[in-house]
């Protein structure tokens, strides 16, 4: 009854039309994306080498590496194994902090 009343108003009608259109178009985008870039992802855990199970952010770079930001440093995954990057006070090239909450790829890679 509430849905019917929502659809009868002008805003409700527009919302219903847009939602229906999105429901029809969204599967097409997923299908096209999967055809051009096939990807299979399984669960990764501590057993696989992830430094912490709580992943805060992730990114796939232009080279195909998956990067996982956690509260315990940065993890790079090549599809086979992890490489961990952590803060090191004596190393100016190391991370400043182990809490990685955001990732972005630089324009030059």
């Amino acid at each position: 009854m509430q849905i019917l009343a929502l659809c009868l108003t002008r805003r409700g009608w527009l919302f219903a039309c847009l939602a229906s259109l999105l429901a029809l178009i969204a599967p097409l985008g997923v299908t096209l994306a999967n055809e051009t870039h096939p990807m299979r992802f399984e669960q990764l855990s501590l057993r696989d080498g992830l430094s912490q199970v709580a992943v805060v952010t992730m990114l796939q770079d232009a080279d195909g590496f998956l990067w996982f930001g956690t509260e315990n440093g940065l993890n790079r995954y090549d599809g086979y194994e992890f490489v961990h990057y952590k803060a090191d006070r004596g190393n100016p090239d190391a991370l400043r902090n182990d809490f990685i909450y955001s990732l972005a790829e630089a324009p030059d890679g």
Side-chain angles (χ1 to χ4, degrees):
M1 195 66 129
Q2 291 176 349
I3 295 173
L4 179 60
L6 176 67
C7 292
L8 293 177
T9 65
R10 184 176 289 181
R11 287 184 183 163
W13 170 255
L14 180 60
F15 177 79
C17 290
L18 290 175
S20 298
L21 183 61
L22 181 61
L24 292 173
I25 293 174
L28 293 175
V30 171
T31 302
L32 293 175
N34 287 339
E35 289 176 7
T36 55
H37 300 290
M39 186 170 151
R40 183 170 181 234
F41 189 83
E42 295 180 11
Q43 182 177 358
L44 297 169
S45 68
L46 295 175
R47 287 187 210 147
D48 301 303
L50 190 61
S51 67
Q52 185 181 30
V53 294
V55 173
V56 179
T57 184
M58 65 183 275
L59 168 88
Q60 183 173 16
D61 68 15
D63 295 324
F65 291 109
L66 291 175
W67 295 85
F68 299 93
T70 71
E71 292 182 18
N72 192 26
L74 183 63
N75 297 255
R76 186 186 76 192
Y77 185 65
D78 64 4
Y80 300 100
E81 61 187 7
F82 282 95
V83 175
H84 302 151
Y85 300 92
K86 293 190 171 199
D88 181 6
R89 291 184 189 197
N91 184 354
D93 296 326
L95 297 173
R96 290 185 189 179
N97 191 330
D98 284 334
F99 192 130
I100 310 299
Y101 59 89
S102 181
L103 293 170
E105 186 171 4
D108 60 350

